[in-house]
Amino acid sequence: MPRPGSAAQARRLAKAQLLGWDIGEDARDAAALVVSELVTNAIVHTASHRIVCELCTSPGTLRIAVRDDGYGSGVPRPAQDGPDADDEHGRGLLLVEAVSCAWGVRDEGPGAGLTVWAELRA
């Protein structure tokens, strides 16, 4: 059983919410992947005490935003090709980029944290 506040729990809750909103299976699966990757990054790369995941829909679009306390090691970036290209870490944002129409990072200001967001076709 995953610990409370885990990426697995966030993924399950997001899929349940999207099912309730009648979002198609392909979009639900892509959204679950994005939620899992963004929440995992917030857990692994920050010392945040609180991580918030928000889902919003508009016609044809699903927006996912994960906000942390901002106590991390900088702005998240996709892994680059290079000597560590086969490393199994650092590929999450490449997956997010592959399944999303757009994604980005917003600095909420000093002490307010970072928000990493992604938009998918719903």
Side-chain angles (χ1 to χ4, degrees):
M1 186 79 174
R3 67 183 173 89
S6 71
Q9 181 184 29
R11 183 175 53 248
R12 278 194 312 279
L13 290 170
K15 282 186 96 166
Q17 180 62 57
L18 296 173
L19 184 61
W21 287 345
D22 200 27
I23 301 294
E25 184 176 3
D26 289 345
R28 280 195 319 266
D29 290 344
L33 172 68
V34 169
V35 166
S36 184
E37 293 300 336
L38 296 184
V39 170
T40 296
N41 280 353
I43 291 169
V44 171
H45 298 292
T46 75
S48 297
H49 297 288
R50 188 172 102 131
I51 297 168
V52 177
C53 179
E54 298 173 339
L55 305 173
C56 301
T57 61
S58 61
T61 303
L62 171 62
R63 182 178 173 91
I64 299 164
V66 174
R67 187 176 65 247
D68 61 49
D69 292 334
Y71 304 119
S73 57
V75 175
R77 292 182 187 85
Q80 302 294 317
D81 291 335
D84 296 325
D86 292 329
D87 190 3
E88 58 184 77
H89 298 290
R91 299 291 176 214
L93 288 176
L94 290 175
L95 292 171
V96 169
E97 190 172 71
V99 301
S100 302
C101 302
W103 76 276
V105 179
R106 185 176 61 242
D107 187 338
E108 302 296 346
L114 290 176
T115 298
V116 183
W117 58 268
E119 290 184 353
L120 293 81
R121 288 181 188 87

